[in-house]
Amino acid sequence: MNARPSDESSYISNANIVKRLNVLDTRHTLLIVDSCFSGSLVVKKRTAIPDERFKSRRILASGRYETASDGEKGKNSPFAAGLLTMLRKNTSPKLDTTSLIKYVKDYVHGKANQHPVEGRLQNSADEGGEFVFYLKRDEEAVWKEVTHAHSVVAYRNYIAGFPDGKYVEAANRKINELEEDKIWQQATINDNELSYEGYLQRFTPLGKYLAQASERLEALKKVRQARQEAQEKAAARDEERQQWQQQFEAHIKQAEQLYKERELIAAREAYREALRSHLPGFVPTQAYIEEQINFCQHNITFLGHYENGKAAMQEGNFRLAIEYYQEALKIKHNQKIEQLIQHCQQQMQQQRTGGKSSNSFVPPNHAPVKKKNNVVKWIAVGMAALVILALAINHLIPQENYPTDEQYIADPNWEDAASENDESTHTAPETYSILGSWQLLSVEWMEGGNAYDATSVDPTLAALINGVYHFYDNGVVTFTSVYQTTNNMYYSAGGSNIHIQAPGYGPGIINHINDSQLVVTLPFSNGYGQYYLRFSMERME
C-alpha cells in the first residue's frame, strides 16, 4: 500500500520474484505469500505427484486478485493462522504440500471472504514433484535408540538427522572407537609394519592403541633392521647371498603353491617365512609379500563367515545365516553369496506364510563323541562314509545349486583342481541308480595297498555290519541298525569323486557300483592320524 511506482526501492515486481526463484538451484522451492493480489503470482497449474524425488516449484498465495484479510489487530491473518495451525498440530511423520494447501483453503474459507490459490512457476525446473514437511523427532529419544544400537550405521544416521545436534561430537567419537577396534584387531592379526603404520596414520593423535602400535612397530623395525644387517653381512659374498636367495625363493614357491591350493593359513605362514629371509633386490618385493599375507587373512575371515553362514543355514537358522553372509560380503562382493542370502530370505518368507521349506541342507551331527563309546563312534564313521556313496550318480539325484568353498575364494586366478584321494587304484562307477536300500556286508582297513578286516582291528566296527542305508531322491540318506537310527545328512559329488560335509573327512572314491553291489573308499582323519576305510554293500530287494 505504501509502494511508489516511481521508486523501485519501495516494491518488488512479480516478474522479478519469478525470475529470482527460477535461478535457485534446489530440488524443491515452496513460495508462501500472504499479501493482497498475491494470486497474480500463480501462472501455471499442474497435478502434484506425491513423490519428493521429482523437483517442485510451487506457490501458495493468500488470495486471488483481491484484498487479503489481516485479521484482528494483534493477531495473525486467517491465512497465516491456518498455516501455523496445521503445522503445529500435525502428528504425521510426513506432511506433503498438497495436504497442507487443502487444509489452509478450507480454514480460510471459514474465516474470511477470501480464496487462497496455488500453482506452479512457468518455464521453471518444476517436474510436478512435492515439497514434504518432516515431523521433527525428539533428539533425546533418538540418541537413546542410537546408543542402544551402538553401531556405526546408527551413529551416522543420527548425525545425518541432527547435523547440529548436541551429541554429534559423541557420535563421531563412537564411530571412531568402533572402527578403531576393528582395524586394531586386524592389525594385530597381520602383525606386520604395514598394518601398524596404517593404524597410526589413521588414528593419531587420539587412538586408544597408539602406544601399543608404536611399540610393536618399533620392535618389528628393530627385528627387520637387525635381520637385514645380519643378512647384508652374510650377503657380502656372492655365494652366501645366493644361499639366502635360494632359501627365499623356496619359501615363495611353497607359499604360492599353497595359495593356489587354497591352503590359506599355511600359505600365510609360508609368506611370513619368506619375508624373514627377504633382502633388498629380491623379487617379489617386501610390499608384495605383506599384501599377500593380508590377502590370505582377508580370505580366511571371508571363508570363516561363509562356513558359519552355511552351518546356520543347514541348521535352519536362516536369519543368522544371512548375518554371516552379509559379513562375508563386506570383505568381498560375491554373486553366489548374494544368491544364498536370497535363498535364506525365501525360506524365511515360506516359514512365515506356513509354506514348506525347500531347503535341502541337513545339519551334520556335531555332537562330541565320547571316547568310551566306540560303537557310537564307528557308527558315525560308517554313516559318514556310506552317505557319500550316493554321490556317484549325481545326475540322478536332484540337488540345489549351492557353490563349493573354492568358488568363494576372492582370487579369480585360482583354478579348480581334482583331489588325489587314495593310493589304491579305482575305476569310475558306471551309471546305476543308487536310490533305495543297501545293506553293509563288510568294512576293510586299507594300509600299504593291502586290505584288512577292520573288525579285527576294532571289534566295535562289527556294530555296523548288516546296517541298512536308504538313499532318497532329495539327496538325503538314513542309516538304521539294531543300535540306532542316524540323523539325515546331506551329500554332493561329481563323477568318481565323492564328498561328505563333515569334520574329519576328505574326498572319497567310488570303487565299484552296479545294480546289486556298491564299494567305496573313504579317507578319514582324527587325533590319531589319517587312514582309509573301504565299505562293501549289497542292494536289498
Side-chain angles (χ1 to χ4, degrees):
M1 303 222 11
N2 299 323
R4 298 181 296 279
S6 60
D7 184 6
E8 292 187 359
S9 65
S10 63
Y11 69 89
I12 181 171
S13 66
N14 287 351
N16 198 1
I17 293 176
V18 173
K19 179 180 179 181
R20 292 176 181 272
L21 289 176
N22 280 336
V23 298
L24 293 177
D25 186 16
T26 62
R27 178 172 293 276
H28 301 289
T29 299
L30 175 60
L31 178 64
I32 301 177
V33 183
D34 184 11
S35 66
C36 299
F37 311 106
S38 55
S40 60
L41 283 168
V42 179
V43 295
K44 183 180 182 181
K45 291 200 174 183
R46 177 187 293 173
T47 302
I49 301 174
D51 192 333
E52 56 184 325
R53 293 177 301 175
F54 298 92
K55 290 184 177 181
S56 67
R57 299 292 185 270
R58 302 193 70 173
I59 300 173
L60 174 60
S62 58
R64 295 192 182 95
Y65 304 100
E66 58 197 24
T67 301
S69 172
D70 290 333
E72 299 180 15
K73 186 176 182 180
K75 295 183 179 181
N76 291 319
S77 68
F79 179 76
L83 277 171
L84 294 175
T85 299
M86 182 61 176
L87 293 175
R88 287 171 177 170
K89 294 186 176 182
N90 171 63
T91 59
S92 175
K94 296 173 63 175
L95 174 64
D96 59 80
T97 301
T98 300
S99 300
L100 175 65
I101 290 173
K102 182 178 183 305
Y103 177 85
V104 172
K105 283 183 176 181
D106 294 340
Y107 184 93
V108 173
H109 288 168
K111 300 293 184 179
N113 185 21
Q114 188 174 325
H115 303 281
V117 293
E118 60 91 15
R120 295 178 182 268
L121 289 177
Q122 195 171 14
N123 299 325
S124 67
D126 181 74
E127 297 174 347
E130 187 79 309
F131 187 100
V132 178
F133 294 85
Y134 284 87
L135 188 66
K136 184 177 180 180
R137 297 188 63 190
D138 179 63
E139 184 179 3
E140 296 294 338
V142 173
W143 179 248
K144 185 176 181 180
E145 295 175 2
V146 168
T147 54
H148 179 72
H150 192 59
S151 67
V152 173
V153 173
Y155 288 119
R156 285 177 175 167
N157 287 340
Y158 164 79
I159 294 174
F162 299 90
D164 298 321
K166 59 181 180 179
Y167 300 108
V168 168
E169 183 177 351
N172 283 320
R173 187 168 59 251
K174 292 294 183 182
I175 290 173
N176 289 335
E177 289 176 359
L178 290 172
E179 292 182 340
E180 181 183 8
D181 288 339
K182 184 177 180 180
I183 293 174
W184 172 249
Q185 183 181 13
Q186 192 64 47
T188 56
I189 292 174
N190 295 333
D191 196 35
N192 56 47
E193 295 177 42
L194 187 65
S195 297
Y196 291 116
E197 287 174 348
Y199 169 82
L200 290 171
Q201 289 175 359
R202 179 165 182 178
F203 294 101
T204 300
L206 301 178
K208 294 189 295 183
Y209 309 103
L210 293 179
Q212 296 96 311
S214 298
E215 180 179 353
R216 183 56 182 160
L217 178 60
E218 288 303 314
L220 289 173
K221 286 183 177 179
K222 289 180 180 179
V223 171
R224 176 172 57 81
Q225 290 170 357
R227 184 176 65 247
Q228 287 182 344
E229 290 176 1
Q231 291 171 350
E232 288 172 358
K233 290 179 181 179
R237 296 188 299 270
D238 292 341
E239 183 177 356
E240 290 182 355
R241 181 175 178 84
Q242 185 177 5
Q243 291 176 354
W244 278 106
Q245 187 168 2
Q246 290 175 352
Q247 181 181 3
F248 169 78
E249 290 174 352
H251 287 311
I252 284 293
K253 183 178 180 180
Q254 180 188 22
E256 296 287 290
Q257 182 63 31
L258 290 169
Y259 181 83
K260 182 178 180 180
E261 294 174 355
R262 305 160 178 81
E263 298 292 339
L264 297 176
I265 296 178
R268 180 188 62 189
E269 298 308 312
Y271 280 123
R272 286 176 173 172
E273 289 296 326
L275 192 60
R276 293 186 181 97
S277 58
H278 184 271
L279 285 176
F282 282 5
V283 177
T285 63
Q286 175 184 339
Y288 168 82
I289 299 172
E290 290 189 348
E291 287 177 359
Q292 288 297 99
I293 293 172
N294 293 345
F295 190 81
C296 288
Q297 186 58 46
H298 281 306
N299 279 281
I300 292 169
T301 306
F302 177 88
L303 287 176
H305 290 314
Y306 162 68
E307 290 294 339
N308 289 335
K310 183 172 67 175
M313 189 167 66
Q314 290 173 340
E315 294 170 359
N317 192 341
F318 299 107
R319 186 178 300 278
L320 180 60
I322 290 175
E323 293 179 1
Y324 281 123
Y325 288 144
Q326 288 175 338
E327 288 298 317
L329 286 179
K330 292 179 183 179
I331 300 173
K332 177 66 179 179
H333 175 74
N334 186 284
Q335 186 176 4
K336 294 294 185 180
I337 289 287
E338 293 178 341
Q339 292 175 357
L340 284 174
I341 291 176
Q342 294 176 0
H343 172 78
C344 291
Q345 291 172 340
Q346 292 172 358
Q347 298 304 309
M348 292 174 62
Q349 180 63 27
Q350 290 181 2
Q351 290 175 352
R352 286 194 294 268
T353 58
K356 184 178 180 181
S357 174
S358 64
N359 178 49
S360 63
F361 276 105
V362 181
N365 186 358
H366 293 290
V369 180
K370 297 182 178 179
K371 292 183 178 180
K372 295 182 179 180
N373 193 347
N374 288 329
V375 174
V376 175
K377 176 188 72 176
W378 283 108
I379 287 176
V381 171
M383 175 57 196
L386 289 169
V387 164
I388 61 176
L389 304 181
L391 311 180
I393 317 303
N394 188 46
H395 66 282
L396 297 178
I397 301 176
Q399 303 176 27
E400 295 195 33
N401 186 24
Y402 294 109
T404 62
D405 294 350
E406 290 81 355
Q407 291 175 295
Y408 290 95
I409 302 299
D411 187 352
N413 294 322
W414 276 345
E415 300 175 353
D416 292 331
S419 299
E420 292 296 332
N421 302 292
D422 190 1
E423 295 179 356
S424 61
T425 59
H426 65 281
T427 58
E430 301 178 39
T431 304
Y432 292 97
S433 174
I434 200 168
L435 300 180
S437 299
W438 298 80
Q439 187 174 35
L440 179 63
L441 301 180
S442 65
V443 182
E444 295 176 300
W445 192 298
M446 308 300 297
E447 184 174 2
N450 299 316
Y452 305 93
D453 182 5
T455 61
S456 65
V457 180
D458 190 339
T460 59
L461 285 176
L464 297 176
I465 307 301
N466 296 325
V468 177
Y469 298 86
H470 190 89
F471 299 95
Y472 297 90
D473 59 2
N474 62 353
V476 172
V477 61
T478 61
F479 171 74
T480 304
S481 70
V482 296
Y483 297 98
Q484 71 176 76
T485 298
T486 65
N487 294 328
N488 295 341
M489 299 184 69
Y490 178 78
Y491 53 86
S492 60
S496 299
N497 297 323
I498 57 180
H499 184 68
I500 178 67
Q501 296 180 358
Y505 296 93
I509 297 171
I510 297 295
N511 301 98
H512 177 72
I513 182 172
N514 59 25
D515 284 336
S516 60
Q517 294 179 330
L518 183 61
V519 180
V520 64
T521 300
L522 175 74
F524 176 73
S525 61
N526 57 17
Y528 301 98
Q530 179 171 338
Y531 46 87
Y532 296 88
L533 297 176
R534 186 167 67 189
F535 298 83
S536 299
M537 293 189 295
E538 182 178 62
R539 185 185 293 277
M540 299 182 65
E541 296 296 334

